[in-house]
Amino acid sequence: MTDRLVPTENERHTYTHNGQKIYQWDQTLEEVNIYVDVPEGCSAKFLFCDIESQNLKFGIKGNPPFLDKPLERKCIKDDSFWTLEDGVLHITLTKMEKGQTWPAALQGQGTDAMSADKDQRRLLLERFQQEHAGFDFSGAEVSGTCPDPRTFMEGVKYDN
């Protein structure tokens, strides 16, 4: 049931520059996902992707990085990874702090306040879904001011 609360492709945030889509991103309680269209015919062996706990750099080997930016928040480097599927570079960053709402994937490229609030509400419902697996929160709504999903009611419970 948790899959129903994962953002769909239409719910991703899009970062554009000079009218061109640079990347899309979304987040779950535990991950931030970045999606980048790569040139047609480009395979994984031509790409590089360096994920650090506070920085992301990727591009085509032998060229300057397409993107080299600090992350909005810290990620767990060793649990983060990238794949290439159907012409899309998919970068999965594991959040350092589970449940933390990221206002952007990369620094200086944040979303508007309404989109950030929508993300926070969805993450709170995702947290409820994980903690109460027998219930379906996919149709639920959070009204009023949305609390921080990471700290609300004694905070996020971590698996040990």
Side-chain angles (χ1 to χ4, degrees):
M1 280 189 250
T2 319
D3 290 347
R4 295 184 199 164
L5 295 171
V6 173
T8 65
E9 189 170 343
N10 294 335
E11 296 173 313
R12 293 178 184 161
H13 305 289
T14 302
Y15 177 71
T16 58
H17 180 70
N18 292 333
Q20 180 181 357
K21 177 176 80 171
I22 305 300
Y23 66 88
Q24 292 184 302
W25 73 279
D26 62 31
Q27 64 183 308
T28 65
L29 274 177
E30 299 179 21
E31 299 172 340
V32 170
N33 298 287
I34 299 174
Y35 308 89
V36 183
D37 294 330
V38 299
E40 192 172 323
C42 188
S43 67
K45 67 182 177 183
F46 296 115
L47 300 175
F48 71 90
C49 185
D50 298 328
I51 302 170
E52 298 296 329
S53 65
Q54 295 182 293
N55 197 73
L56 177 64
K57 178 170 48 174
F58 62 86
I60 297 175
K61 292 177 182 174
N63 292 296
F66 176 70
L67 203 66
D68 184 359
K69 296 275 184 190
L71 299 174
E72 181 63 34
R73 303 276 191 265
K74 287 185 178 182
C75 76
I76 303 172
K77 175 185 173 177
D78 293 340
D79 291 346
S80 300
F81 58 93
W82 66 275
T83 60
L84 179 66
E85 186 175 332
D86 298 326
V88 177
L89 173 65
H90 178 188
I91 303 164
T92 301
L93 306 170
T94 302
K95 293 178 177 180
M96 181 71 72
E97 294 186 43
K98 179 180 175 181
Q100 183 178 51
T101 305
W102 287 28
L106 304 174
Q107 285 184 15
Q109 302 172 356
T111 58
D112 59 272
M114 196 163 134
S115 294
D117 183 65
K118 186 177 178 182
D119 275 354
Q120 189 159 319
R121 291 172 189 278
R122 188 182 41 73
L123 292 178
L124 184 63
L125 292 174
E126 183 181 340
R127 178 183 153 196
F128 288 162
Q129 185 67 61
Q130 283 185 1
E131 292 176 1
H132 307 284
F135 294 94
D136 181 4
F137 290 92
S138 61
E141 292 185 21
V142 177
S143 61
T145 303
C146 183
D148 182 345
R150 186 173 54 88
T151 59
F152 180 65
M153 294 188 67
E154 300 179 21
V156 172
K157 294 169 181 48
Y158 294 90
D159 298 330
N160 291 337

